[in-house]
Structures are given as C-alpha cells and as structure tokens.
Amino acid sequence: MAILVVVLFLLFIAFGIPIAFSLGLASLIYLLVAGVPLTVIPQTMFAGMNSFVMLAIPAFILAGNLMNAGGITNRIIDFANAIVGHIRGGLALTNVASSLGFAGISGTALSDTASIGSVMIPAMKKQGYGAGFSAAVTSISSTVGPMLPPSLPMIIIGTLASVSIGDLFLAGAIPGILLAIGFLIVTYIISVKRQYPKGEKQPLSFVGKSFLGAFWALLMVVIIMWGILGGYFTPTEAAVVCVLYAFVIGKFVYKELQMKELPQLLGNTLSSTASILLLVGFANTFGWILVSEGVPLLIADGILSITENPILVILLIILLLLILGMFMETIAALVILFPVLLPVATSVGMDPVHFGVVMVLALMIGLSTPPVGVCLFVASSFAKVPITKTVKELLPYFAVAVVVLIIVAYVPSLSLFLPSLFE
C-alpha cells in the first residue's frame, strides 16, 4: 500500500497537478482503498498546522511584503552595486550580493527570485549579459536566502523536531555565507572569461549613503536575532515585531509605503500563507500514511543495510535529498522527509540542528533544478529564455553548491559554532 500512495503522488506530479493537491489526492485514494476513515484527513491536517510557531509564517511574509512595498528592494540593490558594481561583471555580482542582503527580509527563495529578478534581470540584459546567464544568477543566488534568518524552512524544521529556531537561524548563517561566496567566485570567473561590463567605482561618500539607505532593512535581521536569542520574544512574537517595524520604516522612514496598498499586501500575504499551510496540512496527512505503513523504518533499515559507515550514510542521505529536491516543493519535502531521515542522521552522530541545515541546503539546490524548480521557472520567465538555456548556465553553480553542501555536511562545526556561543 505504501508503494501505491507514492506512485500516485508521482503520477499526479507528472500530470502537472500542484504538489499540495497531488499529496491530498494520493492520500485520499489511499484512505479509500485501505478502508481508513476519511476523518483522518482533517485530523492530520489540523495537527500539522496547529502550532504557535507556525503563526510566524504569515507575519514574516507580511513583513517582507511591507518592506518590498516600502522601497527596500531597490535600496539593497543600490548598496550591493555600490560595493561590487565596479568589478568585472559588477551587475551580476550585485545580483548575488543583493540576494544575500534580501535574505533578511523575505525568508523564502521564491520571493527573492521574484523581487530581485524583476529589477536585475532586465538591467543585466540591457547591459549585454546573456539572458540565460542573467536568469541563472538570479535563480541560484536566491537559494542563499532561506539559509539566513528569517528562514521559513528553518521555522518548519523547528516545529517538526522541537528544535530551537534561534539555533537553526544561527546555524544556517556560515553555510549561507559560504554558498554566497562560492556563487560570487563563479560569477566573477564567468564574467572575466566573457568580458562582461563593469561599472564605475563609486566614491566612499556614495557607498556610505547607499549603506544608510539599506541600513534599516539590514537592521531587521539584528532585531530578529537579538530578540529571539536574548529571550525577549519567541519567533512568532519576533515576526509580529517585524511587521510593525516594516510598517514604520516603509511609511515614515522611506515614505514609500502607501496606505492604499495595504489591502493588496494583506491579500497577497493571505494567499501565500494559505498555499503554504495547505501544503503543510496535506504533507502531514501524507506523512502520517507513510508512518502508518512503516516507511520511515524501511528507509532507515534500507540505508543502514547498505552501510553503517557514517561517512557513506551521510552521503546516501545527501544523494536522496538532491534527487527528491528535483521533484518536490521544499516545505512538502521537509514535512514528509525530516521526521523520516532524522533518526537515520542521529544514528550516525549528526546533531538535529546540523542535519536541519544540511537538509535545507540540499533542498534549496532543488529550487533551481528541473522539473519542479520554481525559482528556475520564475527567473527564466523574467528573462524570457527557454529553461534549457538557463539550466546550461547553472551547471557551474550546481557544482559549487554541491561542494558547499558536502563541506557543511562533513564539517559540523560550520553549522554548530554560532549556536554554541549562545548556549
């Protein structure tokens, strides 16, 4: 029966049905065939969503929408361009650096791709960068965002495993910065090889002015971490504080947020939140079925039957996550797979916080890979270029991302060093 539900899920995805509904339909058919009461569906969906921490998701999404409407995206891009714009391939480097700064606002890779991509891709194409390259840089650099606070995937993991979300936020910082540095190096090498343009070096006064413009947005991350780690508020309360902060900055500091925009921003927030929670709910039902069929034990036994060598077990987990990340949406994959793979990871000595970082990083790579890479599709649509061209340009970035993933997986201190400072 476990095979039935998995096969149905994959078939529905192959037919182009959204991930959430694929999970729901596969679960429904399984329950009907197995003769299980359909009351399991609302019960498990409610159980998956019934968490105080989950309230942080709509609040962080709303905070990001308010900051975007308040003009923060352009200010972050201006600051990044002031720092690296004068280097060969400066606009492409600015794209990556902007994603690093934007990470503290959105918490999701897709919103990063949409916000940064709508500005940077047309600008890059206008300056002579290839359309496929412009889309590739935008798509892959957006995967840095969820490694840094406020990260929605980290919030999901903290909810699933009862792990400190503050520790998870800290644990993703160094891996996220390593990933960004790797992307910057690849972008520079390609830009030099292709002789992409570079901008003029800006005077120090201009750099300082652009920093002041982005300062209030960057301060948002400091507020989140200071509040959570200092014990002043929970992640959910931090999210609400960020909403108030974003409103004040956008309305009274940047003075670009208009009151008439609020209904649309609230509507967008409700839409995004509903899609995420629906996905979490159906994924929890799907996960309940897998657990009831003993799939977690089968996977654990299967991996450990191949080898009990910690190095090889971690490698097998990474391969599994990279493959599944190509076909599954990140949040659905986390809800279904994290409880399944965590016992395997801990059996070979991985700390839950460390494993959470490795899992998020592996699944982030999948956001830029076909056939279900949402960031890949969004960036390609902005660039008006076939996905095949974008994927070709992404190959060196994939190589760097996998290298960083392996380093992070086998060097736990990269993830655990910062959390250890606050114990």
Side-chain angles (χ1 to χ4, degrees):
M1 293 294 287
I3 297 177
L4 170 66
V5 71
V6 173
V7 170
L8 287 173
F9 170 60
L10 294 176
L11 281 175
F12 290 140
I13 290 179
F15 284 120
I17 298 176
I19 298 289
F21 294 111
S22 296
L23 290 167
L25 287 172
S27 301
L28 176 62
I29 293 173
Y30 166 86
L31 295 176
L32 291 172
V33 172
V36 178
L38 296 184
T39 53
V40 165
I41 294 179
Q43 290 172 351
T44 52
M45 289 184 69
F46 179 76
M49 295 182 285
N50 184 28
S51 170
F52 180 70
V53 176
M54 294 290 280
L55 291 174
I57 293 177
F60 275 129
I61 292 174
L62 178 57
N65 288 338
L66 289 170
M67 293 293 270
N68 285 336
I72 188 57
T73 302
N74 289 333
R75 285 174 170 82
I76 289 179
I77 291 174
D78 290 342
F79 177 49
N81 192 45
I83 297 175
V84 298
H86 63 282
I87 305 172
R88 178 69 63 185
L91 208 55
L93 296 173
T94 298
N95 196 329
V96 179
S98 298
S99 292
L100 187 61
F102 194 80
I105 299 172
S106 66
T108 64
L110 182 58
S111 60
D112 188 339
T113 303
S115 299
I116 300 295
S118 62
V119 177
M120 293 301 300
I121 290 178
M124 289 178 67
K125 290 175 65 178
K126 187 176 180 180
Q127 286 200 12
Y129 292 83
F133 178 74
S134 302
V137 172
T138 304
S139 174
I140 198 67
S141 62
S142 65
T143 61
V144 175
M147 298 302 298
L148 306 172
S151 166
L152 295 190
M154 296 298 188
I155 294 173
I156 296 292
I157 287 178
T159 305
L160 291 172
S162 298
V163 176
S164 167
I165 293 176
D167 286 349
L168 287 166
F169 281 174
L170 286 173
I174 294 177
I177 292 172
L178 285 177
L179 195 63
I181 292 173
F183 293 158
L184 286 169
I185 292 172
V186 172
T187 301
Y188 176 73
I189 292 173
I190 294 175
S191 298
V192 170
K193 182 178 180 181
R194 298 179 182 177
Q195 286 297 293
Y196 283 139
K198 60 180 179 179
E200 296 181 1
K201 189 170 184 178
Q202 301 294 340
L204 192 60
S205 59
F206 181 86
V207 176
K209 184 179 179 180
S210 62
F211 169 73
L212 290 176
F215 171 78
W216 295 106
L218 301 176
L219 184 62
M220 186 173 174
V221 181
V222 178
I223 292 174
I224 293 170
M225 298 310 303
W226 170 78
I228 295 175
L229 296 175
Y232 297 103
F233 37 69
T234 66
T236 302
E237 293 165 345
V240 176
V241 169
C242 284
V243 170
L244 296 175
Y245 176 84
F247 177 79
V248 171
I249 296 303
K251 179 65 178 175
F252 301 108
V253 178
Y254 292 149
K255 298 180 180 180
E256 292 189 22
L257 179 63
Q258 304 297 320
M259 296 300 291
K260 63 182 179 181
E261 296 178 292
L262 290 182
Q264 182 180 357
L265 294 177
L266 290 171
N268 292 339
T269 300
L270 289 173
S271 176
S272 299
T273 302
S275 63
I276 290 174
L277 291 181
L278 185 66
L279 183 59
V280 169
F282 280 137
N284 199 60
T285 301
F286 191 85
W288 179 88
I289 292 172
L290 295 181
V291 171
S292 66
E293 289 288 336
V295 172
L297 290 176
L298 290 175
I299 293 177
D301 292 342
I303 292 176
L304 295 176
S305 66
I306 296 173
T307 177
E308 294 186 3
N309 185 308
I311 295 176
L312 295 179
V313 169
I314 293 173
L315 183 60
L316 288 174
I317 291 175
I318 289 174
L319 290 174
L320 178 63
L321 291 174
L322 288 174
I323 293 171
L324 292 177
M326 296 171 64
F327 298 94
M328 295 185 68
E329 199 277 342
T330 303
I331 293 178
L334 287 173
V335 175
I336 294 171
L337 296 174
F338 190 80
V340 172
L341 296 176
L342 181 59
V344 182
T346 54
S347 71
V348 294
M350 291 188 77
D351 183 272
V353 171
H354 175 217
F355 177 64
V357 171
V358 171
M359 188 166 186
V360 171
L361 180 52
L363 294 175
M364 285 304 102
I365 297 173
L367 293 176
S368 294
T369 58
V372 192
V374 289
C375 293
L376 170 65
F377 287 105
V378 170
S380 297
S381 65
F382 277 128
K384 298 178 181 178
V385 64
I387 290 173
T388 51
K389 287 189 176 181
T390 305
V391 171
K392 183 179 179 181
E393 296 282 2
L394 278 168
L395 293 179
Y397 291 98
F398 288 149
V400 169
V402 171
V403 168
V404 171
L405 172 60
I406 292 174
I407 292 173
V408 170
Y410 289 110
V411 185
S413 58
L414 291 175
S415 301
L416 301 178
F417 172 70
L418 291 180
S420 68
L421 296 179
F422 291 86
E423 290 181 352

